[in-house]
Amino acid sequence: MDSLTSNLPEDKRKQLCALLGNVELTLLYKASVHGYNASAFHQRCDRQGPTLLVAYNSSGYIFGGYTSVDYAQSGQYIADEDIFLFSLQSKIPVCIKMNSGHNARLDDSGMPTFGQQFYFCYNNQPVVLNQGANAFSVNAATMYGNDTQLTECEVYKVEQRSQISAQEKPWRNVLWTAEDELMESIRNHKPMMTSVSRVRILMIGPVGAGKSSFFNSINSVFMGRITSKAMSGSAGTSLTTQFRTYPVKDGREGKPLPFVLCDTMGLEEQSGAGLDIDDVSSILQGHVPDRYKFNPIGPYQPDEQKASRPASLQEKIHCVVYVIDATKISLMSSKLEDKLAAIRKKVNSLGIAQIVLMTKVDEACPLVEGDLQSLYVSSYIKTKVQEVSSRLGVPVSCVLPVKNYSQELELELNCDVLLLTALQQTLNFADDYLDDVASMESKPI
């Protein structure tokens, strides 16, 4: 790395390379050597292509930002969809993408800035300034321990190496050409018990994780075009206010497919907000009707007639899918984790199958954003899958990374394959549950 000595520990360098893909880092600028001044920075870093800024503070935090557009002192506001901030404090790096509607930075003659919010080496001093703007959603305590005093600042040139080598073995195998086979297998799926005509899949997750988007995406694949039947978006509170059961048809004039996706209100941190855990229990046991409007103040109360008779197996939930945003798993609060743990405990007590969809993998990892087929060679995504497994208490094999359709206007093969693979595995897990129920029913009393 040049004649300069990097302060970046090898394990942290690997974490950053996992975020950026198959890249090589070359140290261009080191503040303790070249000085905490803008002229020295621009002399060494202008017109070098994509760069990575790594800052170190007196509390031992390593954090910074990446920009794909080179510095040129043009005086222009720069648009950069690939720009992000990061923190390497924990074993799992935190990667924070810029919120939409903001300029990435002003390409002036000063020191590096990110979103007119973060100013590194502000006023040519060893400090970082956070203006508290809205370009990046950052928790200062998590990112740099609220310590703005820098002990070092380095800037690296980021160069893409040649495409992924044959030695980089995927940590999971996916047949990227198997879309037709997956669709046919799902069309012909028959639930394990004849009393169940369609598998009922319940989607649970925090607000904005992508539950409704998953239904829209699956519906899009089988309709052969982008659809938007379920309300989805990125509002601060749940856009889903009703319990909805969504059958999916095999094309516009096709017959209903052998599964129903059940959507719920999003989970929220506060008590008395979002989906009530007692409502989950009623849904699992088949008591809640389609289009029931959730009441965050109190759980669902069935009428006396419904309460007196158990629901049929056909009405109950056969598999629970937890939908988790890959970009926010590291920021999940303990309150939200506790809510998910309480739900999992209830689901476990009923013996219902469970699986996790990890959404927004393209937003979490720039390598995957560039090529979805890089998903299972991304060590960063692998660490995210392990983190989801650890936080939710499910096996790694039950965590399936997917990308929902959100802003696309056309279907994309790789996206379809991930979605269909996740759906196929969900149906398999539901079969395991139904097989278990069948064996219990066949036992002599």
Side-chain angles (χ1 to χ4, degrees), residues 306-377:
K306 281 186 179 174
S308 64
R309 71 162 184 88
S312 67
L313 185 58
Q314 167 88 345
E315 296 170 297
K316 293 180 179 179
I317 296 299
H318 310 126
C319 186
V320 171
V321 172
Y322 302 98
V323 183
I324 303 295
D325 182 342
T327 68
K328 293 182 178 173
I329 182 65
S330 296
L331 306 174
M332 185 183 288
S333 70
S334 57
K335 288 181 180 177
L336 210 48
E337 263 189 79
D338 290 345
K339 277 194 175 183
L340 283 165
I343 292 169
R344 273 189 41 74
K345 186 176 180 181
K346 183 63 186 176
V347 177
N348 283 334
S349 73
L350 296 170
I352 298 170
Q354 301 172 75
I355 205 164
V356 182
L357 294 186
M358 192 175 80
T359 60
K360 305 184 184 181
V361 289
D362 56 321
E363 294 180 34
C365 177
L367 175 66
V368 177
E369 187 173 35
D371 179 9
L372 209 51
Q373 287 197 18
S374 301
L375 178 72
Y376 287 121
V377 292

Side-chain angles (χ1 to χ4, degrees), residues 18 30 53 86 231 244 354 440:
K30 190 177 179 75
L53 183 147
F86 65 86
M231 184 77 74
R244 290 302 316 273
Q354 301 172 75
M440 291 290 288

Side-chain angles (χ1 to χ4, degrees), residues 7-209:
N7 278 28
L8 190 62
E10 181 61 18
D11 62 325
K12 303 300 184 187
R13 187 192 70 80
K14 286 181 177 178
Q15 286 184 347
L16 286 169
C17 287
L19 272 177
L20 292 162
N22 193 29
V23 299
E24 189 169 337
L25 302 180
T26 304
L27 184 56
L28 297 172
Y29 165 82
K30 190 177 179 75
S32 63
V33 174
H34 303 114
Y36 285 91
N37 63 77
S39 60
F41 162 76
H42 284 287
Q43 184 181 350
R44 299 190 62 88
C45 300
D46 279 1
R47 295 181 176 83
Q48 293 291 333
T51 50
L52 182 76
L53 183 147
V54 183
Y56 310 77
N57 70 12
S58 49
S59 298
Y61 282 72
I62 301 175
F63 60 104
Y66 166 82
T67 177
S68 68
V69 181
D70 54 5
Y71 295 94
Q73 302 185 63
S74 66
Q76 302 294 313
Y77 284 102
I78 301 297
D80 182 2
E81 291 183 357
D82 297 325
I83 198 168
F84 64 85
L85 296 172
F86 65 86
S87 177
L88 306 180
Q89 183 61 13
S90 63
K91 289 183 180 178
I92 309 296
V94 174
C95 175
I96 305 158
K97 300 281 281 185
M98 188 174 68
N99 297 322
S100 60
H102 293 269
N103 289 311
R105 57 184 173 83
L106 176 62
D107 185 33
D108 61 8
S109 58
M111 290 298 280
T113 69
F114 291 79
Q116 284 74 63
Q117 180 176 353
F118 275 86
Y119 294 76
F120 288 88
C121 304
Y122 182 67
N123 259 357
N124 296 326
Q125 297 297 315
V127 295
V128 61
L129 173 70
N130 179 4
Q131 290 276 54
N134 300 318
F136 294 92
S137 301
V138 171
N139 182 320
T142 301
M143 187 172 174
Y144 53 91
N146 284 319
D147 182 356
T148 59
Q149 193 67 37
L150 299 182
T151 56
E152 185 62 274
C153 185
E154 300 174 333
V155 176
Y156 296 83
K157 179 184 177 72
V158 179
E159 292 180 285
Q160 289 289 333
R161 289 179 175 148
S162 57
Q163 288 301 309
I164 297 161
S165 65
Q167 285 77 29
E168 289 188 76
K169 187 179 177 184
W171 45 274
R172 237 180 232 172
N173 291 318
V174 171
L175 189 57
W176 295 101
T177 57
E179 181 177 28
D180 292 342
E181 292 90 332
L182 284 164
M183 290 181 77
E184 197 59 24
S185 174
I186 291 166
R187 285 185 186 112
N188 296 329
H189 181 84
K190 287 185 171 44
M192 287 293 291
M193 294 186 72
T194 53
S195 61
V196 175
S197 59
R198 285 187 287 185
V199 169
R200 285 170 67 88
I201 301 162
L202 177 63
M203 297 181 290
I204 295 175
V207 171

Side-chain angles (χ1 to χ4, degrees), residues 229-284:
K229 193 172 177 182
M231 184 77 74
S232 63
S234 55
T237 55
S238 182
L239 290 172
T240 304
T241 58
Q242 297 179 320
F243 175 64
R244 290 302 316 273
T245 57
Y246 291 112
V248 179
K249 288 200 298 187
D250 188 13
R252 187 171 180 179
E253 305 297 331
K255 63 181 182 179
L257 291 160
F259 62 90
V260 174
L261 294 172
C262 304
D263 198 8
T264 58
M265 196 173 188
L267 290 173
E268 296 187 39
E269 288 182 22
Q270 305 90 334
S271 55
L275 184 64
D276 190 291
I277 292 175
D278 288 332
D279 278 337
V280 175
S281 181
S282 297
I283 293 168
L284 293 172

Side-chain angles (χ1 to χ4, degrees), residues 358-409:
M358 192 175 80
T359 60
K360 305 184 184 181
V361 289
D362 56 321
E363 294 180 34
C365 177
L367 175 66
V368 177
E369 187 173 35
D371 179 9
L372 209 51
Q373 287 197 18
S374 301
L375 178 72
Y376 287 121
V377 292
S378 167
S379 54
Y380 181 68
I381 294 296
K382 185 178 182 181
T383 62
K384 285 293 175 188
V385 166
Q386 291 167 338
E387 184 180 6
V388 170
S389 164
S390 173
R391 281 181 175 247
L392 268 66
V394 297
V396 167
S397 60
C398 294
V399 182
L400 301 178
V402 296
K403 175 191 172 344
N404 289 332
Y405 286 110
S406 56
Q407 46 194 342
E408 295 79 5
L409 297 177

